[in-house]
């Protein structure tokens, strides 16, 4: 799939928020500054002009500052609401809806990061989460003594995160040379191979039954698996992931990644190591997915091949698309919608037809807005503030 | 040295497989012969399903993730028609026509509006497959359906070395060969085929030379979908039709097309052979982990030759 | 977007009303959750299981222990994770006081583990038949009035060796815990009688193409023991016949259950005469059973020709719950202590005889030896051959003997 086509697929026709516009200006400036430097000596000449371009593109205009101020307020409001949520919600809503959305959103965030900023849509994020989940179950304590190493949590959890990141990096090495639909295919194949491996192997993975009673450690005397503590734990991790994703997208690494998404050939000509950037992006996304995977095991208090089968892998893609891959918040919004549908569609329609509902909603969102719910939100805001739209049509 | 590395690796792999084959033959010739035949016939079934997929994939760069659902649709409609009329051949024809029509509808109603947005098209087919799977469950229920072809097709055939063998599986093999030849003739000896091949190479030039590309797309999609429905009836007779078959055959088609190379009928045949044989020999000689083989093959091919064994770089 | 907004408001509104009503009616209604696999590969057995629950409730006109019974349905798809999520929704969101379910073996173990975290709710099995659910680490609030996979095969091993004369057998079964327990139940008796299980073929779940397995079946055996479910069984039968296979079969309970015998297609005559054993026999002429079948057929015009073992299991478990509620007159106070006491000690009369619970709260019940036969209208059913009474979870072995043998696995037990 060509870069231009990808950009058309991923960008909404109307401009996004002011911060995104400033970002795009910065990217354009960085790229053009880089192109200018090609005329001179490649290596050392690149750094200062790139830095100059980056500095020059820092938003100075008043409307952009106001927009950033608005965004900060919005973030603070959302954070306050999320912190106060358990006070108004029942334990079921806190745990099964709130915490599950945050955990699934974390895994979908890794996909949104790779797909939205890196241009690589992969289906193996759930696999990476599953690898970390199985690692924490096997290395730590689970119901079956023959299948657990019994390590303490402060060894097992970091080891699981490392294993997950390593696995993601390996997947990245395999997938980095492919593009578009081929990336989807190779990551799907890797995921299905892993599924069959854990289903068929009993000595290590305990096959179809999986591993049960995998629980978070009782730190500070708190049972972290009970609804409210687990919700705050997931919220903390999710906030960290979100902040990391937003921050990363503005670092030189993130900008370069987006450049690679838009035009890998040009970036290669500029001297960027495209494959290494891609693998690094996979590894970073893998870290996020691993964190989500550990939380998911604790949420279910078990892990089985069913957690990493084809349907679960595709669910993560559905979540990311539903929410919109343009901004990290989309993953969480998509996860919330998905969890609500999964739990309550059975109450709205005939018991057995809720797959129809989930598929129907997914199709509807796709037809109406390729950027998911966030894209719909952006378009609504643009409709309500036409003045802002006119002023910011530079990008 | 680096240029010869993949070739050397392939040759080494070939030698290892040959040694394994000779050992298996010496150990139990009947099992080896049976596995070979089983692999060929399974490959034939996979080829039937994957040929339509690769046509659509190759020409329209559209990964039709609802291809498995089309397979099921053909099977179910074929079954209903067969029950009603009592003729298996009518069921076959009905399966083909119904899915060809469904393919046309999908192309006109859905994909024409999303020209150029490959990811979005793929995701829409994914959503369609979820919706269709539930609709099938609603209409035809969760039971397993098996077809009832005329008895001269279903007999047991005596063969040298392996003894008795299922006649219908040989029929599937024959059908795949015939369809493969017919497709090859269609693509290489007719005008429409020429246009399709040109479109696989360069869509824009085809359009620029005055051909109505949308019509070519529609015909391709109809043929590809129809082939899936045809394979649905064949597969339903050889194995069975049940919920969940759509995912299985979709995965199989994906693997076959990726390994063989997109847009290439000979590639689909090579891919199907490789995957069919790997799956069968894997299940016969290493049943615990044999299922993983096909996916490992696909990963290996994609890692070292991303355009597939017989595809050309886009 | 508007549609979604409207749907959300509607859901929230409906939930609020339901919660309010639920709170108001707490004294008058007992809320019972029913969990079965309404989606995925076990959709057909799941639907039949729900029919069993519905029948049990409608026979009491929706009342038990002097209170109204409200059934809230939950759905899973065979995966332990989904089952626990659905159970959690029923327990924590819909506030059920008793949960009946799940359907499949692995789900049962997961739900048992979940039950331990909610001691205030009584969990009663649906039809899950893994041994570990009650044998290993049982939950004090999990009750199983249906028998497990190993119990289902009681009597079959001896019958296959002595009456049918099969001295050498190979097995073909799916590669997970439930078929392990089926095969163990068969082999405990078969090996003791002197039979040899020459080879075991474990097929990955979801395999549709059995040609490789069939190719490996040797010629010098007397029969094939088949423990496959649903469409896998259908595929195996037709492929075996197509490949010219002619060895007689011995079937595990799920292989010739009504949900399989009722498949749409013509080639089934090769199945006639296949022996099996299980919790039900279709043509059992005991009056309780014939009444049950008549009630099932009258209530469910779109059901199977005869109730499957899933409908039976869910019915027995639901009936036990309702009987228990009657016995304690609906008293669920004090963490349902009276109800649990009643459930542990009472004898339930079911369509297939009397059922009591052992010390792990697992059923001790009758098992039926059957053979497949053909009806006058061409449909297949399981004809009763013999009844084995009062089969317990250790199949007559003592606690020490069974502990030495261990729970069934890929390689346990062996008798080559």
């Amino acid at each position: 799939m060509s870069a231009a086509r990808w950009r058309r697929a991923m960008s909404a026709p109307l401009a996004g928020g002011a911060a995104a516009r400033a970002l795009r200006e910065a990217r354009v400036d960085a790229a053009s500054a880089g192109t200018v430097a090609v005329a001179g000596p490649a290596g050392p000449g690149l750094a200062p002009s790139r830095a100059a371009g980056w500095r020059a593109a820092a938003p100075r205009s008043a409307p952009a500052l106001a927009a950033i101020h608005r965004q900060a307020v919005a973030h603070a409001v959302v954070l306050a609401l999320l912190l106060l949520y358990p006070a108004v919600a029942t334990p079921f809503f806190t745990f099964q809806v709130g915490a599950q959305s945050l955990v699934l959103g974390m895994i979908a965030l890794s996909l949104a990061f790779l797909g939205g900023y890196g241009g690589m849509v992969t289906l193996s994020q759930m696999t990476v989460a599953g690898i970390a989940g199985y690692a924490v179950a096997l290395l730590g304590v689970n119901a079956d003594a023959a299948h657990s190493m019994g390590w303490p949590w402060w060894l097992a959890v970091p080891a699981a995160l490392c294993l997950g990141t390593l696995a993601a990096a390996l997947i990245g090495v395999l997938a980095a040379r492919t593009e578009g639909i081929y990336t989807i295919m190779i990551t799907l194949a890797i995921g299905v191979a892993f599924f069959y491996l854990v289903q068929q192997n009993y000595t290590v993975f305990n096959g179809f039954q999986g591993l049960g009673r995998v629980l978070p450690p009782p730190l500070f005397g708190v049972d972290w698996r009970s609804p409210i503590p687990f919700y705050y734990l997931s919220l903390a991790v999710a906030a960290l992931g979100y902040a990391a994703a937003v921050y990363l997208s503005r670092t030189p690494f993130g900008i370069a990644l987006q450049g690679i998404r838009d035009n890998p050939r040009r970036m290669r000509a500029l001297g960027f190591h495209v494959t290494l950037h891609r693998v690094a992006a996979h590894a970073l996304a893998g870290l996020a997915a691993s964190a989500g995977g550990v939380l998911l095991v604790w949420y279910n208090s078990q892990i089985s091949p069913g957690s990493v089968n084809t349907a679960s892998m595709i669910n993560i893609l559905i979540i990311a698309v539903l929410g919109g891959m343009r901004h990290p918040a989309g993953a969480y919004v998509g996860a919330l919608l998905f969890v609500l549908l999964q739990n309550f569609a059975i109450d709205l329609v005939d018991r057995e037809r809720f797959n129809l509902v989930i598929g129907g909603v997914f199709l509807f969102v796709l037809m109406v807005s390729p950027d998911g719910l966030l894209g719909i939100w952006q378009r609504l805001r643009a409709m309500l503030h036409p003045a802002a739209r006119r002023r910011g049509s530079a990008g | 040295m680096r240029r010869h590395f993949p070739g050397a690796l392939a040759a080494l792999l070939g030698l290892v497989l040959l040694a394994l084959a000779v050992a298996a033959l010496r150990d139990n010739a009947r099992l080896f012969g049976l596995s070979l035949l089983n692999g060929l016939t399974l490959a034939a079934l996979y080829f039937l399903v994957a040929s339509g997929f690769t046509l659509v994939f190759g020409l329209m760069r559209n990964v039709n993730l609802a291809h498995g659902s089309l397979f099921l649709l053909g099977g179910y409609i074929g079954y209903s028609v067969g029950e009603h009329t009592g003729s298996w051949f009518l069921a076959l024809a009905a399966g083909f026509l119904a899915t060809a029509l469904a393919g046309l509808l999908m192309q006109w109603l859905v994909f024409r509006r999303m020209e150029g947005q490959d990811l979005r098209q793929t995701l829409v087919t994914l959503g369609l497959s979820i919706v269709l799977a539930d609709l099938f469950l609603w209409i035809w229920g969760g039971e397993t359906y098996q077809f009832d072809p005329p008895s001269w097709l279903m007999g047991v055939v005596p063969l040298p070395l392996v003894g008795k063998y299922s006649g219908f599986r040989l029929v599937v093999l024959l059908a795949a060969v015939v369809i493969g030849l017919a497709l090859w003739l269609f693509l290489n000896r007719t005008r429409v085929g020429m246009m399709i091949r040109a479109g696989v190479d360069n869509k824009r030039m085809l359009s620029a030379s005055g051909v109505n590309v949308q019509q070519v797309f529609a015909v391709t999609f109809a043929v590809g979908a129809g082939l899936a429905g045809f394979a649905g009836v064949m597969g339903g007779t050889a194995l069975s039709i049940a919920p969940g078959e759509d995912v299985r055959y979709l995965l199989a088609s994906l693997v076959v097309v990726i390994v063989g190379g997109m847009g290439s009928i000979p590639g689909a045949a090579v891919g199907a052979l490789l995957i069919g044989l790997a799956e069968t020999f894997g299940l016969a000689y290493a049943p615990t982990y044999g299922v993983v083989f096909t996916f490992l093959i696909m990963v290996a091919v994609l890692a070292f030759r991303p355009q597939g064994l017989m595809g050309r770089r886009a | 977007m508007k549609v979604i907004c409207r749907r959300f408001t509607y859901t929230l509104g409906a939930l609020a009303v339901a919660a309010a009503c639920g709170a108001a009616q707490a004294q008058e209604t007992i809320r019972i959750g029913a969990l079965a696999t309404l989606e995925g590969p076990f959709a057909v057995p799941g639907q039949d299981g729900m029919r069993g629950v519905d029948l049990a409730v409608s026979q009491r006109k929706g009342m038990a222990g002097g209170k109204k019974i409200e059934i809230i349905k939950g759905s899973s798809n065979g995966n332990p994770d989904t089952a626990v999520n659905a159970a959690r929704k029923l327990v924590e969101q819909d506030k059920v006081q008793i949960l009946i379910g799940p359907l499949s073996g692995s789900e049962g173990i997961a739900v048992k583990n979940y039950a331990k975290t909610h001691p205030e709710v009584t969990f009663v099995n649906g039809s899950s038949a893994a041994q570990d659910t009650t044998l290993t680490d049982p939950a004090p609030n999990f009750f199983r009035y249906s028998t497990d996979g190993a119990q289902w095969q009681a009597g079959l091993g001896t019958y296959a060796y002595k009456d049918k004369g099969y001295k050498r057998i190979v097995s073909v079964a799916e590669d997970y815990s439930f078929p392990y327990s089926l095969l163990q139940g068969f082999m405990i008796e078969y090996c003791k009688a002197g039979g040899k299980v020459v080879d075991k073929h474990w097929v990955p779940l979801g395999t549709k193409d059995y040609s490789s397995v069939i190719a490996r079946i040797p010629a010098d055996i007397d029969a094939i023991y088949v423990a496959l479910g649903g469409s896998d069984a259908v595929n195996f039968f037709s492929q075996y016949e197509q490949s010219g296979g002619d060895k007689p079969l011995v079937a595990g309970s799920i292989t010739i259950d009504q949900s399989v015998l009722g498949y749409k297609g013509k080639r089934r005559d090769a199945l006639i005469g296949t022996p099996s054993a299980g919790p039900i026999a279709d043509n059992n002429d005991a009056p309780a059973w014939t009444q049950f079948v008549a009630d099932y057929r009258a209530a469910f015009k779109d059901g199977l020709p005869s109730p499957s073992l899933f409908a039976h299991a869910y019915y027995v478990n639901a009936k036990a719950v309702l009987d228990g509620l009657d016995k304690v007159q609906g008293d669920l106070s004090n963490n349902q202590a009276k109800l649990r006491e009643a459930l542990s000690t009472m004898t339930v009369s079911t369509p297939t005889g009397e059922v009591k619970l052992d010390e792990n709260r697992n059923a001790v019940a009758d098992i039926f030896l059957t053979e497949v036969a053909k009806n006058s209208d061409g449909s297949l059913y399981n004809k009763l051959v013999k009844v084995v009474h009062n089969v317990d979870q250790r199949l007559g072995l003592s606690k020490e003997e069974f502990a030495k043998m261990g729970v069934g696995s890929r390689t346990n037990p062996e008798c080559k």
Side-chain angles (χ1 to χ4, degrees):
Chain A
M1 176 167 20
S2 80
R5 228 179 280 151
W6 187 275
R7 201 190 334 209
R8 243 180 288 139
M10 297 313 296
S11 314
L14 305 168
R21 242 176 289 130
L23 198 61
R24 217 173 303 127
E25 285 161 18
R27 265 197 356 257
V28 167
D29 283 348
S32 58
T35 335
V36 164
V38 166
L46 205 57
S49 42
R50 241 169 72 206
W54 171 241
R55 261 201 307 275
R60 295 288 164 93
S61 52
L65 273 176
I68 291 184
H69 179 71
R70 264 206 310 272
Q71 284 234 328
V73 170
H75 277 114
V77 168
V78 169
L79 190 63
L81 284 174
L82 284 174
L83 282 171
L84 292 173
Y85 176 66
V88 296
T90 66
F92 170 77
F93 261 92
T94 308
F95 191 71
Q96 186 133 320
V97 176
Q100 195 181 44
S101 313
L102 289 169
V103 171
L104 284 177
M106 190 72 187
I107 305 178
L109 175 68
S110 69
L111 173 58
F113 178 74
L114 270 181
Y117 293 117
M120 303 174 274
V121 178
T122 62
L123 279 175
S124 56
Q125 300 312 112
M126 198 56 174
T127 307
V128 172
I131 290 176
Y134 264 105
V136 84
L138 285 169
L139 296 173
V141 176
N142 66 60
D144 188 353
H147 283 102
S148 56
M149 305 264 294
W151 289 3
W153 70 271
W154 44 267
L155 261 186
V157 172
L161 292 176
C162 283
L163 276 171
T165 312
L166 198 65
L170 278 172
I171 295 175
V173 166
L174 283 172
R177 298 199 302 156
T178 60
E179 280 191 4
I181 197 61
Y182 284 99
T183 317
I184 295 183
M185 290 307 102
I186 193 172
T187 51
L188 177 63
I190 294 173
V192 176
F194 178 71
F195 162 72
Y196 277 116
L197 175 68
V198 296
Q199 188 187 265
Q200 293 303 105
N201 180 294
Y202 274 83
T203 35
V204 177
F205 294 105
N206 205 23
F208 188 75
Q209 190 56 43
L211 304 163
R213 277 225 288 285
V214 187
L215 297 169
L219 274 183
F220 310 118
V222 177
D223 173 21
W224 289 100
R225 180 116 190 317
S226 54
I228 299 187
F230 188 78
Y231 173 80
Y232 282 118
L233 177 65
S234 332
L235 183 59
V237 175
L240 212 64
Y242 175 80
V246 170
Y247 171 73
L248 264 177
S249 66
R250 296 185 187 161
T251 58
F253 169 75
I255 303 285
L257 194 64
Q258 290 169 73
I260 290 174
R261 173 194 73 195
D262 290 338
N263 197 332
R265 210 178 280 173
R266 182 189 273 185
M267 295 302 279
R268 214 174 272 129
L270 289 176
F272 287 90
H273 197 313
V274 168
T275 312
L276 200 59
H277 270 89
R278 283 182 170 160
V279 172
H282 266 97
L284 285 167
L287 182 60
S290 307
V294 171
L295 283 175
L296 190 64
V297 174
W298 286 345
Y299 169 81
N300 283 319
S301 71
Q302 64 181 31
I303 187 161
S304 62
S307 322
V308 296
N309 64 9
T310 323
S312 310
M313 294 195 284
I314 291 180
N315 281 343
I316 299 293
L317 180 63
I318 292 179
I319 290 175
V321 169
L322 272 182
M325 286 202 250
R326 280 168 16 99
H327 189 269
Y332 296 100
V333 171
L336 181 64
L337 177 63
F338 183 81
V339 166
L340 282 173
L341 276 175
Q342 213 178 37
N343 277 299
F344 296 110
I346 198 176
D347 291 321
L348 290 177
V349 236
D350 191 17
R351 305 293 162 199
E352 292 129 37
R353 296 278 78 80
F354 54 90
N355 260 323
L356 202 56
V357 172
I358 292 181
V361 170
F362 181 66
L363 271 179
F364 173 76
V365 170
L366 266 179
M367 298 292 231
V368 161
S369 160
D371 296 313
L373 290 177
L374 274 195
I376 295 177
W377 172 248
Q378 299 285 14
R379 258 191 269 171
L380 278 178
R381 276 185 52 208
M383 277 197 313
L384 294 172
H385 301 280
R389 194 212 329 168
R390 255 181 278 128
R391 216 179 301 137
S393 53
Chain B
M1 177 63 193
R2 210 178 152 80
R3 213 176 308 149
H4 295 302
F5 181 67
L9 194 64
L12 187 65
L13 208 61
L15 273 176
V16 169
L17 284 174
L18 197 61
L20 281 173
V22 168
L25 201 59
R26 293 240 303 263
D27 176 46
N28 185 344
R30 182 173 167 271
L31 179 62
F32 185 82
L34 265 178
S35 303
L36 191 64
L37 264 178
N38 288 335
L40 285 175
T41 49
L42 186 64
L45 188 58
Y46 282 166
F47 172 74
L48 281 176
V49 185
S51 50
F53 188 80
T54 192
L55 261 184
V56 169
F57 191 14
L59 179 60
M60 295 184 272
R61 298 289 192 277
N62 174 9
V63 177
N64 181 14
L65 291 178
H67 195 73
S69 313
L70 289 171
F71 174 91
L72 261 191
L73 179 70
Y76 280 132
I77 292 195
Y79 181 85
S80 303
V81 167
E83 272 284 278
H84 217 61
T85 61
S87 158
W88 183 77
F89 289 100
L90 270 182
L92 206 55
F96 179 84
L97 288 170
T99 41
L101 194 63
L104 268 176
L105 280 173
M106 274 168 69
Q107 168 65 16
W108 276 343
L109 294 178
V110 177
F111 298 125
R112 262 221 311 210
R113 296 155 197 256
M114 294 187 219
E115 222 10 69
Q117 299 174 46
D118 299 348
L119 181 66
R120 194 172 170 201
Q121 281 183 332
T122 306
L123 292 173
V124 166
T125 58
L126 181 65
L128 271 176
S129 74
I130 298 176
V131 167
L132 281 173
D134 204 50
L135 279 176
F136 294 156
L137 193 59
W138 197 358
I139 302 178
W140 279 282
E143 289 108 349
T144 313
Y145 287 74
Q146 279 201 321
F147 289 78
D148 192 31
S151 43
W152 56 270
L153 276 178
M154 289 294 288
V156 177
V157 174
L159 287 177
L161 181 68
V162 296
K164 295 184 274 190
Y165 197 70
S166 160
F168 190 75
R169 287 184 83 109
L170 294 174
V171 169
V172 173
L173 187 57
L174 192 64
V177 170
V178 167
I179 300 257
L181 278 174
L183 267 180
W184 187 85
L185 282 172
F186 172 66
L187 282 180
N188 288 298
R189 295 276 184 269
T190 65
R191 272 202 71 214
V192 183
M194 187 169 64
M195 289 193 260
I196 293 177
R197 271 184 302 129
V200 171
D201 283 343
N202 197 327
K203 216 181 308 178
R204 285 217 187 88
M205 284 301 263
L206 180 68
S207 175
S209 57
V211 173
N212 187 341
V213 174
Q214 288 301 331
Q215 266 185 2
V216 175
F217 279 12
V219 166
T220 318
F221 214 119
V223 170
L227 279 172
F230 178 83
V233 177
M234 293 297 263
T237 318
L239 303 173
S240 66
I241 293 280
E245 293 295 292
D246 50 350
V247 176
R248 200 185 104 137
Y249 281 101
L250 175 68
L251 279 175
S253 312
L254 283 173
V255 177
V256 164
V257 163
I258 294 288
V259 166
M262 70 172 191
S264 157
I265 297 294
V270 167
L273 261 178
L274 210 60
I275 298 301
L277 285 171
E279 208 173 289
T280 320
F281 276 99
L283 274 175
Y285 289 97
T288 313
Y289 295 108
V291 280
V292 193
F293 288 176
T294 42
F295 296 99
L296 290 180
I297 290 180
M298 178 167 146
V299 169
V301 169
L302 265 181
F304 296 111
R305 199 181 152 85
Q307 70 270 33
L309 290 173
M310 296 188 61
R312 271 166 295 175
R313 274 203 183 272
Chain C
M1 182 71 178
K2 254 204 173 132
V3 176
I4 300 177
C5 269
R6 213 179 294 143
R7 276 255 175 93
F8 269 22
T9 335
Y10 177 65
T11 323
L12 289 173
L15 283 171
V17 171
C21 287
Q25 287 180 25
Q27 293 97 358
E28 303 296 334
T29 324
I30 297 182
R31 299 162 73 85
I32 300 183
L35 176 60
T37 52
L38 295 178
E39 17 153 2
F42 300 117
V44 174
Q47 284 164 356
D48 218 30
M50 283 300 188
R51 289 190 196 114
V53 175
D54 288 338
L55 186 60
V57 173
S58 68
Q59 278 180 345
R60 319 276 269 251
K61 307 211 190 320
M63 303 280 290
K67 302 200 181 152
K68 194 165 159 320
I69 299 292
E70 187 188 342
I71 298 283
I72 304 168
K73 298 194 178 170
S75 165
S76 63
N77 61 3
N79 272 330
D81 295 347
T82 330
V84 171
N85 268 336
R88 191 179 299 123
K89 174 166 185 286
L90 286 171
V91 167
E92 299 179 28
Q93 173 66 19
D94 298 318
K95 304 258 184 290
V96 300
Q97 291 140 310
I98 302 170
L99 179 68
I100 302 178
L103 184 134
S104 89
S106 306
E107 292 179 321
I109 298 179
V111 169
K112 171 201 69 174
N113 281 326
Y114 175 70
K116 291 189 171 182
T117 65
H118 278 275
E120 74 281 5
V121 177
T122 302
F123 289 80
V124 179
N125 190 37
S127 66
S128 82
Q131 293 164 296
D132 276 334
T133 316
T134 49
L135 259 185
T136 317
D137 212 7
N141 55 341
F142 190 92
F143 298 81
R144 178 152 69 176
Y145 290 91
S146 51
T147 36
D148 79 8
Q151 287 171 291
W152 286 357
Q153 302 290 270
L156 185 60
T158 328
Y159 185 75
Y161 189 80
K162 295 221 172 80
D163 295 70
K164 287 290 203 178
Y166 302 145
K167 310 271 185 274
R168 288 163 57 87
I169 274 187
V170 296
S171 74
V172 175
E174 279 157 344
D175 200 355
Y176 71 107
S177 54
F178 175 61
Y180 298 162
S181 48
L182 277 178
L183 190 58
Q184 182 184 31
F186 173 75
M187 283 176 74
I188 285 181
E189 292 187 9
Y190 186 69
C191 300
K192 200 164 170 188
K196 301 263 172 277
V197 176
V198 171
D199 203 359
K200 295 184 189 176
H201 294 291
W202 298 108
V203 183
L205 258 177
T207 306
K208 296 292 183 241
D209 186 12
Y210 291 94
S211 48
S212 312
V213 177
I214 294 171
R216 289 202 131 239
I217 293 176
D220 60 345
I221 49 154
D222 300 319
I224 309 175
Y225 177 85
V226 181
L228 306 165
S231 57
D232 295 353
V234 171
N235 280 355
F236 179 80
F237 295 149
S238 64
Q239 286 170 42
Y240 187 63
E241 195 185 320
Q242 279 178 32
S243 69
D246 53 4
K247 296 268 181 263
L249 306 174
V250 176
S253 322
I254 44 164
T255 311
I256 38 73
D257 178 62
Q258 270 299 322
S259 51
V260 172
L261 290 182
Y263 80 74
K264 311 257 190 271
K266 287 269 176 63
R267 302 175 310 282
R268 313 182 207 141
D269 285 355
L271 287 174
I272 296 180
T274 306
S276 180
I280 60 174
D282 295 326
N283 74 330
N284 185 5
D285 57 1
W289 174 257
T290 43
Q291 181 64 44
F292 173 65
V293 176
D295 289 343
Y296 174 91
R297 288 190 179 140
F300 307 112
K301 297 282 182 279
D302 61 340
L304 297 171
S306 185
S308 67
L309 60 85
F310 302 98
H312 169 259
Y314 270 83
Y315 175 83
V316 165
N317 282 301
K319 181 169 188 295
V321 168
L322 298 174
D323 282 352
L325 284 171
D326 274 342
K327 200 156 173 208
V328 302
Q329 280 150 2
D331 180 0
L332 293 176
S333 61
N334 197 10
N335 252 359
Q336 306 184 9
K338 276 200 189 151
L339 178 66
R340 305 238 175 113
E341 173 68 24
L343 287 176
S344 309
T345 51
M346 68 186 198
T347 309
V348 186
S349 50
T350 73
T352 44
E354 311 255 292
V355 174
K356 283 179 79 68
L357 294 185
D358 65 13
E359 79 273 14
N360 288 328
R361 287 164 298 284
N362 194 71
V364 177
D366 293 348
I367 297 294
F368 298 85
L369 203 56
T370 60
E371 275 192 13
V372 178
K374 197 170 186 174
N375 260 332
S376 46
D377 65 359
S379 59
L380 296 178
Y381 72 104
N382 291 304
K383 186 179 70 171
L384 175 65
V385 168
K386 200 169 78 171
V387 183
V388 183
H389 291 289
N390 290 331
V391 179
D392 71 311
Q393 215 176 2
R394 298 197 182 89
L395 293 157
L397 296 176
S398 73
K399 203 166 173 180
E400 293 76 33
E401 279 179 319
F402 196 86
K404 203 163 82 141
M405 179 188 274
V407 155
S409 76
R410 260 189 207 150
T411 47
N412 181 29
E414 288 275 26
C415 59
K416 295 201 177 171

